[in-house]
Amino acid sequence: MSLGRAILLITLVIPGVLVTGSSLYSFNLDYIAMGRTERYVERLVREGRNNERQLDLAYHRNLVHRINALSNGTWGFIGAAIAAIGIHGIATTKDETIQDQKKASK
């Protein structure tokens, strides 16, 4: 592997994959929590034995999970784009053969 490809792998591909993986894991957790809070808000509304403060708190907790899921999904996309740039760079760089290296050293 040439030095240029190694640099692309270390600086773009590996961090991009790590960001994508961790963001999608966090997205999954927030999406599950968002569904749970949505069901809780629906249950509070159906029961009718609640006050306005409980509804506001439950609704705003749902919005927090919704915003977190959005930002985690966005970071997952950004990480995938960074990894894709690195993979594209690795795929398009030309390997230097031993003959090319010998010619360059002369």
Side-chain angles (χ1 to χ4, degrees), residues 75-89:
W75 275 108
F77 177 74
I78 291 170
I82 290 170
I85 290 169
I87 291 169
H88 175 72

Side-chain angles (χ1 to χ4, degrees), residues 32-90:
I32 291 168
M34 184 177 67
R36 207 176 319 127
T37 57
E38 187 73 33
R39 287 189 299 275
Y40 179 67
V41 169
E42 288 176 8
R43 189 175 51 135
L44 283 177
V45 170
R46 267 188 273 121
E47 288 176 356
R49 299 176 307 185
N50 49 27
N51 56 19
E52 194 71 26
R53 187 170 182 206
Q54 278 182 319
L55 281 174
D56 281 344
L57 179 64
Y59 178 71
H60 286 97
R61 289 304 303 165
N62 186 17
L63 285 179
V64 166
H65 291 299
R66 192 174 298 266
I67 290 169
N68 284 343
L70 172 73
S71 64
N72 288 330
T74 302
W75 275 108
F77 177 74
I78 291 170
I82 290 170
I85 290 169
I87 291 169
H88 175 72
I90 289 171

